[in-house]
Amino acid sequence: MEKVKRFGVSIEESLLIKFDSFIKTKKYKNRSEAIRDLIRENFVNDSWEDSSKHVAGAIIIVYDHHKRELLDNLVDIQHNYQNFIISSQHIHLDHHNCMEIIVVKGAMQKLIELEAILKATKGVKHTTFAKSTLGEEI
Ligand code: NI
């Protein structure tokens, strides 16, 4: 296990009160774990600013499965990006709507491009992109 270092932090009292309230809301047991997560989150967010990076994440789409040609389009799109798709899961939300969770990994530009193509596909009602990391920067 990696060595853990301690360091002191000087912070305005009012900011510390807000921080303690924040970590209580977020269910952290102590300040250290909250600070570690904030640092890691910052590094991951930063990595998404650098388009040369390789990253990982999940694209979630919701669509109307009654539109038959849409299903063909979605399969075609995913085959075109097969090198970037690790897995996908299909969930039948209700009689009309399906959700697909597409786990992606690779060059950020290609993943953003894939999300944009899925979002712009007729019949896709909503997309969201959970942007994560391959773990290198944290
Ligand atoms: Ni379905």
Side-chain angles (χ1 to χ4, degrees):
M1 196 171 156
E2 195 174 346
K3 190 179 172 190
V4 175
K5 302 277 280 183
R6 293 178 66 91
F7 69 103
V9 178
S10 302
I11 186 169
E12 291 84 353
E13 192 178 4
S14 60
L15 191 56
L16 186 59
I17 289 167
K18 281 183 187 168
F19 185 63
D20 284 343
S21 169
F22 165 83
I23 67 176
K24 196 175 170 191
T25 308
K26 298 292 181 182
K27 309 296 182 198
Y28 284 106
K29 290 191 171 58
N30 57 61
R31 290 174 181 156
S32 292
E33 189 55 36
I35 289 170
R36 283 193 289 269
D37 269 4
L38 286 173
I39 292 171
R40 290 190 194 106
E41 192 175 338
N42 196 56
F43 286 153
V44 170
N45 289 344
D46 244 26
S47 74
W48 279 88
E49 299 292 317
D50 178 355
S51 63
S52 67
K53 288 266 187 183
H54 279 225
V55 290
I59 301 169
I60 302 167
I61 61 175
V62 174
Y63 59 91
D64 182 346
H65 80 103
H66 293 306
K67 297 188 191 313
R68 290 290 158 195
E69 70 203 47
L70 171 60
L71 297 180
D72 287 344
N73 288 340
L74 292 176
V75 170
D76 285 347
I77 293 164
Q78 291 189 54
H79 275 271
N80 290 340
Y81 286 83
Q82 60 175 319
N83 294 336
F84 303 94
I85 296 175
I86 300 168
S87 76
S88 67
Q89 184 178 19
H90 184 107
I91 297 114
H92 311 299
L93 291 176
D94 59 26
H95 186 66
H96 304 286
N97 296 297
C98 297
M99 175 181 276
E100 219 155 293
I101 303 169
I102 305 162
V103 180
V104 291
K105 174 181 150 184
M108 182 197 304
Q109 280 173 320
K110 298 300 284 186
L111 306 186
I112 288 171
E113 185 180 284
L114 171 58
E115 190 219 0
I117 291 169
L118 290 167
K119 190 186 279 283
T121 300
K122 194 178 173 199
V124 173
K125 295 175 172 179
H126 184 254
T127 71
T128 187
F129 196 167
K131 294 170 176 171
S132 191
T133 174
L134 291 168
E136 291 156 356
E137 55 278 293
I138 53 169

